Amino acid sequence: MSSSASPRPARRTVLYGGLAAGTALTALGARADAAPAAPSSTGIRPFHFTASREQLDELRRRVAATRWPSEELVGDRSQGVQLATSQALAKYWRSRYDWRTFEAKLNKLPQYTTEIDGVDIHFIHVRSRHADALPLIMTHGWPGSIVELLETIGPLTDPTAHGGSAADAFHLVLPSVPGFGFSGQPTETGWEPGRTARAWAELMRRLGYPQYVAQGGDVGAAITDTLGRLAPAGLLGIHLNLLVPALGGATEPTSTAEERAAAAALAEFGRTGNSYLIEQSTRPETIGYALLDSPVALAAWMLDHDTDSYYKISSAFRGGPVAGNLTRDHILDNVTLYWLTGTGVSSARAYWESAKARAAGGPTPPPVSVPVGFSAFPGEIFQAPRSWAETSYPTLAYYNKPVRGGHFAAWEEPQLFTKELRAAFRSLR
């Protein structure tokens, strides 16, 4: 790995004197009958990002200078990310990928930052042209970012142009989780899912939304699950595409063939697929040295998540079939965002925070009291049966098994994902 200094992360400016840590939930939730807050008084500022030429040149230099490991001794991913996959990715990244194309696309979107609880929160905010649109806050996961949600913006906010009706419209808020992307990196511990969920409630209040719904997958599912348990005033319902309680060790029934298959997939992930989770939950700083020094190490670490998404992404770089929207450019848009913002280690700390919060114990969290929608995509780490979703969420109001899609469902299959959200939230309008 190169020993020269890593690129400076994006500059972030303190914009607003936010809430003190530990602010009560009742102070964060907007009343359903409250008047919308005036945007000019909320400390919300426009945002855009332009990488310097030096940053991009340094990125290509570091990719070209990669010190490669010897080839794996097996014909699958059981020893980790395959050398041929990493080399194909690096070749494309160095010689053909163009960050400026994505940067221009991103900067055409309405982006903002606001400080909440001491951290600058970056978010995209796209209001629908349809007056009765339902406000929706969607949260990305790891190793994703707002990049994985961008292709849903058009279908969700402008449904009449994408096969839907005006009654399907959403006002869309896409925040970057603290420590990810363009959001600030916390300078103190304690940013577990509950604190982020409270920040999201405050963000929606600042945006003037007295009622809204929420969606999340992966880390975003943990935050959205917690938001549903906190039930701030104005939250109408949530939708998830990863069953967080089961992933966290909750005991689920295994009496049917479907339940046993899900349990077997979850056990296999625990045996062979969760090395990233263990490292980031226990020693995020250690892996951070590699993630901040070598872009190819960062890319490999991000690819080594789950079997389904790994083989789909590997296929895209090695000349095989492309799964939905998981193209080479879209994958590298996401990895390059992590590199340019220097968030490899700060995003990994999110797992450490969650693990620390679980270890601390405390009162049993309340059940989710708002309606819950759940979409069990077939390529997810495990495809949660309806019975499992009902066990975790007694208020389950919508459940479906889409025909395609995996862990990065919104990214891979944005049209199918959009249909799921329209159906899940239709009764809450």
Side-chain angles (χ1 to χ4, degrees):
M1 295 182 184
S2 172
S3 61
S4 58
S6 61
R8 293 171 60 88
R11 181 183 178 191
R12 301 178 179 89
T13 304
V14 175
L15 301 169
Y16 183 77
L19 298 169
T23 300
L25 175 66
T26 53
L28 294 174
R31 288 175 51 85
D33 58 353
S40 60
S41 66
T42 59
I44 294 171
R45 304 286 180 84
F47 175 90
H48 78 280
F49 175 83
T50 301
S52 70
R53 181 174 179 178
E54 289 75 18
Q55 283 179 303
L56 299 178
D57 288 345
E58 173 70 358
L59 169 58
R60 283 187 288 270
R61 186 194 70 76
R62 284 174 176 258
V63 171
T66 299
R67 186 179 181 186
W68 296 102
S70 58
E71 187 175 13
E72 66 277 0
L73 304 178
V74 293
D76 56 24
R77 72 177 292 251
S78 59
Q79 289 189 339
V81 175
Q82 294 158 298
L83 181 63
T85 295
S86 290
Q87 290 183 331
L89 181 150
K91 180 179 179 180
Y92 188 85
W93 204 359
R94 183 181 71 250
S95 61
R96 296 182 61 185
Y97 173 73
D98 181 13
W99 164 261
R100 295 296 188 205
T101 299
F102 174 72
E103 185 178 82
K105 175 183 176 181
L106 188 63
N107 284 331
K108 288 180 180 178
L109 295 169
Q111 300 177 79
Y112 305 91
T113 58
T114 187
E115 186 183 319
I116 300 177
D117 202 0
V119 173
D120 282 353
I121 302 299
H122 165 266
F123 61 98
I124 296 169
H125 182 202
V126 182
R127 288 186 59 86
S128 173
R129 61 190 176 91
H130 300 292
D132 295 328
L134 178 64
L136 165 64
I137 183 168
M138 289 209 304
T139 310
H140 64 82
W142 184 94
S145 66
I146 54 168
V147 174
E148 64 182 295
L149 304 175
L150 296 186
E151 298 303 315
T152 68
I153 292 176
L156 289 171
T157 62
D158 191 11
T160 55
H162 295 84
S165 68
D168 294 321
F170 294 90
H171 299 308
L172 192 57
V173 180
L174 305 178
S176 297
V177 174
F180 289 71
F182 299 122
S183 279
Q185 300 183 18
T187 57
E188 61 180 7
T189 61
W191 275 94
E192 40 71 43
R195 190 166 176 179
T196 303
R198 289 188 286 272
W200 279 193
E202 167 63 6
L203 176 60
M204 296 304 277
R205 185 199 68 80
R206 289 189 190 181
L207 293 176
Y209 291 130
Q211 293 184 320
Y212 60 95
V213 292
Q215 197 284 328
D218 192 79
V219 170
I223 293 167
T224 304
D225 171 278
T226 305
L227 189 65
R229 297 179 192 281
L230 295 174
L235 180 67
L236 300 177
I238 64 173
H239 175 273
L240 307 165
N241 53 288
L242 179 66
L243 195 64
V244 176
L247 193 63
T251 302
E252 305 290 354
T254 56
S255 57
T256 69
E258 181 186 27
E259 292 168 348
R260 287 192 292 272
L266 189 54
E268 179 66 16
F269 175 74
R271 285 192 299 270
T272 65
N274 69 345
S275 57
Y276 75 89
L277 191 152
I278 295 171
E279 181 72 15
Q280 295 189 162
S281 296
T282 57
R283 292 294 188 273
E285 198 73 16
T286 301
I287 189 62
Y289 289 101
L291 304 184
L292 271 291
D293 187 67
S294 167
V296 172
L298 173 66
W301 186 253
M302 294 170 69
L303 262 60
D304 198 11
H305 182 270
D306 66 280
T307 298
D308 179 74
S309 66
Y310 170 75
Y311 282 123
K312 287 172 178 175
I313 293 171
S314 180
S315 177
F317 281 103
R318 295 172 68 172
V322 175
N325 212 35
L326 290 178
T327 67
R328 293 179 296 184
D329 286 312
H330 285 155
I331 297 301
L332 286 174
D333 291 340
N334 186 54
V335 181
T336 306
L337 176 64
Y338 272 75
W339 176 260
L340 292 174
T341 56
T343 49
V345 64
S346 57
S347 60
R349 290 188 192 118
Y351 285 77
W352 184 90
E353 293 285 5
S354 292
K356 184 181 179 184
R358 287 194 301 271
T364 301
V368 175
S369 58
V370 298
V372 176
F374 191 88
S375 299
F377 287 87
E380 184 53 275
I381 295 169
F382 63 100
Q383 189 175 30
R386 184 185 188 105
S387 58
W388 287 18
E390 289 173 334
T391 299
S392 296
Y393 302 111
T395 56
L396 187 73
Y398 175 85
Y399 175 91
N400 191 41
K401 288 184 173 182
V403 296
R404 296 184 308 279
H407 186 73
F408 299 104
W411 200 4
E412 184 182 341
E413 298 290 346
Q415 295 295 336
L416 276 178
F417 185 83
T418 297
K419 288 178 65 177
E420 288 299 297
L421 266 60
R422 290 173 182 170
F425 291 131
R426 191 163 287 141
S427 64
L428 301 182
R429 293 180 179 273

